[in-house]
Amino acid sequence: MIQPQTHLNVADNSRARELMCIRVIGASNRRYAHIGDVIVAVIKEAVPNTPLERSEVITAVIISTRKELKRDNGMIIRYDDNAAVVIDQEGNPKGTQIFGAIARELRQLNFTKIVSLAPEVL
Amino acid sequence: MRLEKCWFCSSTVYPGHGIQFVRNDAKIFRFCRSKCHKNFKMKRNPRKVKWTKAYRRLHGKDMTHDSTFEFERKRNRPERYDRNLAENTLKAIKKIDKIRSDRASDHIKNRLKTGKVQRQKEARKQLEQGIHLVKAPHALAQDSSLCLPKIKVNVSQAQTEENQPMEE
């Protein structure tokens, strides 16, 4: 359940460290974003001397949430933190490595590049 | 579909039950119910929590080493479906389960045997000493089947000057 003002960790090597959600993409009054939703975020903390800078507005896709993800087969998955991967307008990740386990839902949402880079798919 | 084990209590987690928690190092913790999940969040060590299988195995309450455990390994390679194999496996599962549970209950019975013997000894002693709480002495004397048989023991006492009864 990510909403504006939520801080998220960055789960790839795109040189940003922490993001703050500004907007949930999808509908005009959409309240929360879950795993697989795209958000607009501002970079709150970045690795110094890199193309991505602090207070830059970027889009990201949410990889993991502390709120449980419920599947149709009854499986419930909870992660340890809220994390996102920085993407561009087409949905391709900006970084080249993904850290942490990824949920299978991202494959259905056409984030195939992210899923292929992930070390483990749950 | 796979039957997992709960990380906390080691019971089987059937599909549709429980919660999986993914830690940041990608280690997955599966819980069978919220009781185990909440204990985990409280950072309790299952080896110290009395009702878990981990505690019972560690403290010798349950069987630890047995050949029947070898059959239940985690196998990652899926088997090609073979009707005979499936049939035999199902039969084997039933039999192995029965053998394992029989051995486990024997283990527990043996463990509790010493306690039972002890309790019977204590009960006998209590009966000998405390029969007066149950029956009046007069009733006891009349009905000899109620009390334990009196054993007559001959005690030899030295007939010294002090022990001889006073002559009137």
Side-chain angles (χ1 to χ4, degrees):
Chain A
M1 278 171 81
I2 311 296
Q3 58 181 353
Q5 298 290 317
T6 306
H7 284 242
L8 298 128
N9 292 332
V10 174
D12 59 4
N13 61 351
S14 62
R15 303 298 189 276
R17 284 267 171 78
E18 200 175 307
L19 308 170
M20 185 178 82
C21 173
I22 297 178
R23 191 90 171 113
V24 174
I25 303 291
S28 72
N29 220 358
R30 189 147 173 205
R31 284 182 176 79
Y32 308 116
H34 298 280
I35 292 180
D37 293 335
V38 176
I39 59 165
V40 178
V42 68
I43 299 177
K44 281 296 196 181
E45 192 188 320
V47 175
N49 306 324
T50 49
L52 285 180
E53 281 184 344
R54 199 181 164 281
S55 72
E56 203 177 304
V57 174
I58 43 107
T59 44
V61 65
I62 292 174
I63 295 289
S64 60
T65 52
R66 275 221 190 93
K67 179 70 181 159
E68 306 89 30
L69 166 74
K70 288 193 200 179
R71 290 211 178 134
D72 287 340
N73 60 3
M75 202 188 287
I76 300 180
I77 300 178
R78 228 177 64 107
Y79 287 85
D80 203 7
D81 64 349
N82 303 314
V85 162
V86 179
I87 58 172
D88 61 9
Q89 287 304 326
E90 279 96 62
N92 300 321
K94 248 203 182 135
T96 50
Q97 264 184 333
I98 311 276
F99 306 122
I102 301 289
R104 218 168 284 277
E105 273 71 8
L106 288 172
R107 181 172 289 152
Q108 275 104 49
L109 294 162
N110 293 323
F111 290 109
T112 46
K113 195 111 192 300
I114 295 177
V115 173
S116 66
L117 287 170
E120 192 182 333
V121 181
L122 282 176
Chain B
M1 184 191 82
R2 196 182 265 256
L3 300 179
E4 306 284 356
K5 292 276 177 207
C6 174
W7 185 83
F8 199 81
C9 64
S10 314
S11 60
T12 39
V13 186
Y14 282 84
H17 287 258
I19 291 185
Q20 293 182 22
F21 171 65
V22 183
R23 208 166 53 179
N24 277 335
D25 58 359
K27 181 159 160 65
I28 304 172
F29 297 87
R30 296 170 218 273
F31 305 106
C32 58
R33 55 200 197 279
S34 65
K35 177 179 181 180
C36 303
H37 189 35
K38 283 178 184 154
N39 271 298
F40 173 77
K41 282 197 272 189
M42 269 194 267
K43 297 190 176 180
R44 285 203 182 147
N45 188 354
R47 286 159 179 263
K48 290 192 171 182
V49 178
K50 293 249 167 82
W51 50 271
T52 57
K53 208 80 172 140
Y55 176 94
R56 290 186 65 85
R57 287 212 188 104
L58 186 69
H59 289 77
K61 312 282 185 189
D62 275 347
M63 196 170 60
T64 41
H65 299 291
D66 196 38
S67 50
T68 47
F69 292 143
E70 304 296 313
F71 292 102
E72 202 180 327
R73 264 182 299 117
K74 184 178 182 192
R75 294 164 178 85
N76 283 321
R77 187 173 289 171
E79 295 279 337
R80 176 156 292 168
Y81 178 71
D82 177 25
R83 195 200 166 101
N84 287 330
L85 181 67
E87 198 179 326
N88 290 336
T89 308
L90 283 170
K91 283 191 202 152
I93 287 174
K94 246 190 180 161
K95 187 143 196 203
I96 291 165
D97 212 43
K98 184 174 180 315
I99 293 174
R100 192 191 61 230
S101 49
D102 283 344
R103 285 188 192 173
S105 56
D106 282 342
H107 179 271
I108 291 175
K109 215 189 288 182
N110 282 333
R111 190 167 55 84
L112 297 175
K113 218 191 276 189
T114 51
K116 192 171 181 186
V117 165
Q118 183 84 351
R119 276 196 296 277
Q120 278 190 340
K121 251 204 296 201
E122 283 174 14
R124 172 161 295 147
K125 195 165 177 189
Q126 200 179 37
L127 183 68
E128 282 175 30
Q129 291 176 346
I131 194 71
H132 64 279
L133 293 168
V134 179
K135 277 278 184 181
H138 191 60
L140 273 181
Q142 294 201 326
D143 187 3
S144 63
S145 69
L146 286 168
C147 49
L148 292 170
K150 283 203 185 120
I151 305 166
K152 273 205 164 158
V153 178
N154 291 329
V155 178
S156 63
Q157 207 177 29
Q159 287 286 333
T160 58
E161 277 293 316
E162 297 104 62
N163 282 352
Q164 273 172 357
M166 274 197 309
E167 284 158 356
E168 277 300 320

